[in-house]
Amino acid sequence: MSRLSGYFTWKRADLAWALLLLVCTLGLPFAISNDYYVNVLVLMFLYAGMASAWNIIGGMAGQFSLGHTAFVGVGAYTSTLLYNYAGVSPWIGMIAGGLISMVLAVIIAFPAFRMRGVFFAMATLAFGETVRILLMASRKYIDVPYGLSINYEPGLSRMIFEERTSYALLTGGFLILVTIAAFVISRSYIGAYLRAIRDSEEAAVASGIAMRRYKMIALLISAFFTSIGGTLLAQYVLYIEPTSVFNMAISVDLPLMALLGGIGTIAGPIIGTAIALPLRDILLETFGQSAPGLHLVIYGIALIVIVILLPNGLIGGVRSLRNRFTSKPKPQPVPETAP
Amino acid sequence: MEILIQLVLSGILLGGVYALAALGLNLIFGVAKIINFAHGEFLMLGMYAGFWLMTLTGINPYYGAPLIAVAFFILGALFYTGVMRFTIYKPELTQVFVTLGLSIALQNLALMFWQADYRTIQTMPPGYASLMVGNINLPTDRVIAFGFAVAILTAIIVFLKTTFTGRAIEAVSQDLMSARLMGISPQKIFLLTFGLGIAITGVAGGVLIPSFYAFPSVGSFFVLVAFVVVVLGGLGSVTGTIVGGLTLGIIETLVGYFTPDLKEATHFVLLILLLAVRPHGLLGIKGAEKETLK
């Protein structure tokens, strides 16, 4: 622990950001009364939390996972099965799901950490799909219905609420928790190690960083929090099935949101979610009636344009703008050296 | 014994089809070092092209293949000039997300125009649906698709090895900087490769439609198959694609016969294991998996 705090760096702006986050997560649920907007808010908090969790392994460590839906699904299924069949409270099921996800993470890490870049992405993508297929195939041997619904009996111990506002507070709390974890990792020596690994694995290993250990730490934390997000999703929707929680779209959405805001930064995934989710909703509202799928066509094209124009996300764009106006000496691009 | 021969032959036919479906992906990866996550969507468009060609004009996609090839060559060239040109020296992440964005857009474009219906066509008159060789039963449309695969793969290998342009493509895929010093314009080669890769993918879709259903999200199945084939055979290697396709086809057919539920899982388990043990594939160039354009 002393090592964790030893290198810790604080910035003056941190306090302002923390206040903003607190106001948003604790204030907005009460400020908004329209049920539809509270629904958007709940999903935004939830996805922002999961995108931040993805960002720990995907952004800070640069290990571009496209299989996080496996953790979401395991979180959702573990808590729901435990609740429906053994009466275990989702609060405990949530932790159990997180632990199982960590075990899964260790299994996939064994082959996947040997790869980098887009091949890591392909392997994790295949991993996410494999978990879904195994789950669906296992129904032959275990008597579990295709879709699982949770009985609507509100209660704090059952993590089911009457008011959407309570869900907004719950998911808001989740977002705060993940953000704190991401903040601690990013500002401590672990974050520095992870960024070193991201920028050059060879250089990181040459400087004596135990690469596998730190990649593993990042993946485990990421898997744990993503899995908790899965439990919360199940408790909010109260119905899960293999194709809804084990869905490649989730695996794609999380990195996407991190990328839109600014990959590898703490605020990036939150900002990205705050843009992407409402954008999709607005597009659906505007174009949903005219033709099925039109809103996603526009969404896809918007993505392409944004990713090409702002490769470092919104935060990166703002930074480069600020650099241009304050006319600091431009940072020299570091020439990439061949391994 | 007979059943085993039947299974292996079916596997080879399926494998040829898979190789054809994956060739475009590997060609583009080999040259531009970009994994095209929208590859499956181009295949899906090719399937619809075959479908509409048959339904609207009555032209059998087997005869219409050159038409599809020309149309998809233009589409591929547009794909490069309109989208991929801007990502070519960018980080991998940008490339992944641009192609993923395109995949979302194309999938939903298909949904918009053609709804989520499963569509297929019959190209063979009734009674000719399968060929009997001794006691072995082979579906005719698969045999024809396999013929297309053999013809196209041979043509591509001959093109790459013997013509000047083909060698220029090989040169760029081996070493961009040296190729440039030899006076090859990478832009032109990229344009040509994207056109060629997408054209092959379109034709593959066109000849696949009689034996597979076309629907807007069919691409996500084929893109994973293509990943497995490419990784199995070797990144950037055309002969590797053939080997990879055949291996996957045979394994899948055998596993599917014994445990049908886990047929799909074999793809992914194979992919993960391969990436871990032999990331450059059976025939690929060692280290190809670590390459990026510099």
Side-chain angles (χ1 to χ4, degrees), chain B:
Chain B
M1 192 58 214
E2 204 155 78
I3 190 78
L4 195 68
I5 298 175
Q6 165 82 54
L7 283 176
V8 170
L9 277 180
S10 308
I12 290 175
L13 288 185
L14 183 67
V17 169
Y18 279 177
L20 187 61
L23 181 61
L25 181 78
N26 210 2
L27 211 58
I28 291 174
F29 176 81
V31 175
K33 307 290 179 281
I34 286 174
I35 297 271
N36 178 12
F37 278 81
H39 180 78
E41 273 60 46
F42 284 106
L43 197 82
M44 177 268 294
L45 289 180
M47 291 171 92
Y48 274 110
F51 176 82
W52 288 116
L53 204 62
M54 180 84 174
T55 324
L56 295 182
T57 64
I59 301 174
N60 194 318
Y62 298 140
Y63 303 127
L67 265 168
I68 300 180
V70 172
F72 274 72
F73 187 91
I74 297 170
L75 186 66
L78 286 177
F79 171 45
Y80 174 70
T81 44
V83 182
M84 295 318 286
R85 187 160 54 96
F86 304 107
T87 71
I88 214 100
Y89 297 104
K90 295 273 175 67
E92 271 177 340
L93 205 73
T94 312
Q95 298 166 351
V96 170
F97 266 95
V98 166
T99 50
L100 273 176
L102 189 72
S103 134
I104 296 176
L106 288 179
Q107 228 180 71
N108 287 285
L109 206 65
L111 181 71
M112 206 170 103
F113 285 127
W114 306 310
Q115 288 79 44
D117 306 335
Y118 282 51
R119 297 166 195 263
T120 190
I121 46 172
Q122 257 199 325
T123 46
M124 289 292 135
Y128 292 88
S130 59
L131 292 172
M132 292 294 284
V133 185
N135 281 331
I136 291 161
N137 183 0
L138 301 171
T140 317
D141 40 24
R142 286 279 169 90
V143 176
I144 296 178
F146 186 78
F148 265 96
V150 173
I152 292 175
L153 284 160
T154 318
I156 287 294
I157 291 177
V158 170
F159 170 69
L160 288 180
K161 299 286 175 207
T162 59
T163 65
F164 183 82
T165 322
R167 284 192 191 150
I169 291 179
E170 290 252 282
V172 171
S173 93
Q174 282 167 11
D175 194 327
L176 181 71
M177 187 56 84
S178 314
R180 202 183 251 163
L181 289 174
M182 297 300 122
I184 298 169
S185 155
Q187 311 305 328
K188 280 183 194 158
I189 296 295
F190 288 151
L191 183 72
L192 182 66
T193 314
F194 273 93
L196 212 55
I198 301 300
I200 294 168
T201 312
V203 172
V207 300
L208 278 184
I209 173 79
S211 40
F212 288 88
Y213 284 102
F215 50 95
S217 58
V218 68
S220 45
F221 166 73
F222 276 108
V223 76
L224 287 165
V225 168
F227 283 167
V228 183
V229 170
V230 166
V231 173
L232 191 61
L235 292 153
S237 151
V238 177
T239 25
T241 311
I242 305 172
V243 177
L246 293 179
T247 319
L248 180 68
I250 294 170
I251 294 179
E252 188 192 313
T253 317
L254 289 176
V255 173
Y257 179 71
F258 295 109
T259 50
D261 289 330
L262 296 180
K263 196 172 95 176
E264 266 188 273
T266 49
H267 295 171
F268 305 124
V269 175
L270 209 61
L271 179 64
I272 297 171
L273 287 181
L274 266 166
L275 281 170
V277 179
R278 226 185 135 75
H280 49 282
L282 298 173
L283 297 181
I285 311 138
K286 208 162 187 167
E289 76 277 9
K290 286 176 187 152
E291 245 179 273
T292 46
L293 278 185
K294 298 260 160 58

Side-chain angles (χ1 to χ4, degrees), chain A residues 4 52 167 242:
Chain A
L4 206 57
S52 297
Y167 277 111

Side-chain angles (χ1 to χ4, degrees), chain A residues 58-113:
Chain A
M60 293 179 197
Q63 305 301 308
F64 196 72
S65 158
L66 280 181
H68 262 52
T69 187
F71 306 133
V72 175
V74 165
Y77 260 87
T78 310
S79 68
T80 308
L81 285 173
L82 279 176
Y83 178 70
N84 277 6
Y85 291 90
V88 178
S89 159
W91 294 98
I92 299 168
M94 170 170 97
I95 307 295
L99 294 177
I100 296 179
S101 286
M102 285 164 97
V103 174
L104 267 185
V106 172
I107 295 173
I108 182 59
F110 178 67
F113 278 168

